[in-house]
Amino acid sequence: MNRNIGKAAVKWLERAGYEVIVPNITELGRTQLSKGLVEKAKSLVATNISKLYSFAKQDIPILGLEPSEILTLRDEYLDLCDEESLVKAEKISMHTYQFEEFFAKTV
């Protein structure tokens, strides 16, 4: 992704009064799923659920710019997580938005 797009999104959010928090996540597992690396994706899912749940449980929106990555968080995480993490994955799913969705919701 072009870094300028990400920077522009952060600027827009900050101008709108939001504090932007960038979690320490490098990949969500979409690439691994597209290559059939399901076990690797499941490992990323477990790690990312533990990182993102703290935001979702505080009702902090989780935004992304890449639609396929956001849809992975909302849909595939529910299928790929272990049973103990399902409630957390559902909470994350409910608080995850594509940037455009969030923008439309707040305007």
Side-chain angles (χ1 to χ4, degrees):
M1 176 194 344
N2 184 325
R3 289 182 183 223
N4 291 331
I5 295 170
K7 288 177 183 180
V10 168
K11 276 186 183 179
W12 184 89
L13 290 165
E14 289 176 341
R15 285 184 186 151
Y18 294 97
E19 175 188 356
V20 176
I21 303 166
V22 180
N24 184 23
I25 294 176
T26 57
E27 52 189 330
L28 295 173
R30 178 74 236 143
T31 302
Q32 289 73 17
L33 289 174
S34 71
K35 294 178 181 178
L37 303 172
V38 177
E39 292 307 313
K40 176 61 178 166
K42 284 183 177 182
S43 175
L44 289 168
V45 166
T47 299
N48 292 335
I49 286 174
S50 67
K51 292 179 179 182
L52 293 172
Y53 180 67
S54 62
F55 299 109
K57 76 178 180 182
Q58 296 177 67
D59 295 325
I60 297 172
I62 299 165
L63 307 181
L65 298 171
E66 175 56 46
S68 63
E69 295 281 352
I70 293 304
L71 295 175
T72 298
L73 270 176
R74 288 204 303 221
D75 299 330
E76 274 96 321
Y77 272 41
L78 302 174
D79 295 326
L80 294 171
C81 70
D82 59 29
E83 196 165 317
E84 296 81 37
S85 298
L86 184 56
V87 170
K88 291 179 180 180
E90 288 171 340
K91 185 82 168 170
I92 290 167
S93 177
M94 291 185 304
H95 287 82
T96 299
Y97 303 91
Q98 294 178 46
F99 183 84
E100 296 85 356
E101 291 174 316
F102 187 76
F103 175 78
K105 182 179 169 184
T106 61
V107 174

